[in-house]
Amino acid sequence: MPPKWRTEPRFPDGPAPDPAGSHHERRIRSFQPRRSRVTTGQGEALKRLWGTWGLDIDGHSVIDLEALFGGLPVVLEIGFGMGEATAQMAAADPATGVLAADVHTPGQGNLLALAERGGLSNVRVANGDAIILLREMLAPGSLAGIRVYFPDPWPKARHHKRRLIQPEFLTLAATRLAPGAVLHCATDWEPYAEQMLEVLTAHPDFENTQADGGYAPRPDFRPLTRFEGQGLDKGHVVHDLLFRRTEN
């Protein structure tokens, strides 16, 4: 029997518990759905706004990004947490559409509430597996960028295969990025940063934006999040990696 998070709709007009369930596949996933309490405000935002600004990653059809964002160039953000940084970046750059994908229901509701409060018409919230979104629902060359900020580092050696930034993911991502578009990763887990740098440097479809071939300074457009601040207070070192999709 599938776990309850896959079968029980928490919000009848909101995100589906398992939108791509019919596309079940035996694949190691880089995320684990988390069950945590949805606040009243988050729940109200999901009920009120999901039909307008939300979409389920069901794998059934290719998204018309031009229609969805009114012709804006679109950046995909994979894993946005509670959405504070996503909302800040969207507000600072209204000429770019942000397709924000996550499986965390409280975060989805929080980002929708932030978008409504800030009048951010350039934000859409996608619920489900970003791999299915990239592979089955986005057209080749349709993205102006991809952001992966503080993905789960899966620190135990036996779990490293679950890390998102792997050669297979980069190959898929490259097909959906327009030539010259940037994949921007950030992590405060040193071993994961080293792996990211290694696999990105080795991949033929990406080139480092840094002349020295190393990490990039944190760009001004990426806000310092509360999560990041907590890590810095603990002595963590945050690494940004900005790699450009090659023209080949």
Side-chain angles (χ1 to χ4, degrees):
M1 178 177 295
K4 288 185 177 181
W5 70 266
R6 289 187 177 177
T7 58
E8 293 182 353
R10 304 178 71 186
F11 302 95
D13 298 319
D18 185 23
S22 60
H23 289 246
H24 176 70
E25 54 192 324
R26 297 184 63 83
R27 173 169 55 81
I28 296 171
R29 299 181 187 274
S30 64
F31 63 89
Q32 286 184 324
R34 293 172 290 160
R35 295 284 284 184
S36 56
R37 192 176 76 86
V38 176
T39 67
T40 300
Q42 293 162 0
E44 289 177 350
L46 286 166
K47 293 174 184 177
R48 187 173 64 255
L49 301 171
W50 187 258
T52 304
W53 288 350
L55 62 94
D56 282 318
I57 301 172
D58 57 17
H60 290 312
S61 60
V62 175
I63 300 169
D64 185 343
L65 291 180
E66 184 171 354
L68 189 64
F69 287 94
L72 297 177
V74 177
V75 170
L76 170 64
E77 183 171 352
I78 300 176
F80 55 80
M82 296 306 291
E84 293 98 338
T86 306
Q88 290 182 53
M89 289 185 289
D93 185 12
T96 297
V98 180
L99 180 58
D102 209 312
V103 296
H104 188 49
T105 310
Q108 293 166 351
N110 199 59
L111 178 54
L112 287 171
L114 291 171
E116 181 185 46
R117 193 178 309 148
L120 306 178
S121 60
N122 59 328
V123 174
R124 299 292 183 273
V125 180
N127 167 52
D129 188 339
I131 298 297
I132 293 176
L133 175 63
L134 282 164
R135 191 184 64 207
E136 300 183 27
M137 299 182 70
L138 294 176
S142 60
L143 294 175
I146 296 177
R147 299 168 180 162
V148 185
Y149 297 157
F150 304 100
D152 194 326
W154 294 102
K156 294 182 180 179
R158 69 177 183 273
H159 291 156
H160 286 181
K161 59 189 176 184
R162 293 184 177 272
R163 289 175 173 173
L164 179 63
I165 307 302
Q166 307 273 6
E168 298 81 3
F169 169 78
L170 297 179
T171 297
L172 173 60
T175 67
R176 297 323 188 232
L177 286 167
V182 171
L183 170 63
H184 181 190
C185 303
T187 181
D188 65 343
W189 192 259
E190 185 80 25
Y192 197 8
E194 293 171 355
Q195 177 189 324
M196 288 180 177
L197 184 60
E198 179 181 350
V199 298
L200 276 161
T201 300
H203 201 284
D205 292 330
F206 289 93
E207 60 184 7
N208 200 333
T209 62
Q210 303 303 298
D212 64 0
Y215 302 110
R218 179 176 68 87
D220 293 339
F221 64 79
R222 184 176 73 75
L224 183 68
T225 66
R226 179 174 52 186
F227 170 83
E228 184 177 356
Q230 291 171 349
L232 293 172
D233 289 342
K234 297 175 182 177
H236 296 184
V237 177
V238 176
H239 292 292
D240 283 79
L241 302 94
L242 284 86
F243 276 72
R244 184 179 297 109
R245 172 71 166 93
T246 57
E247 301 287 338
N248 59 359

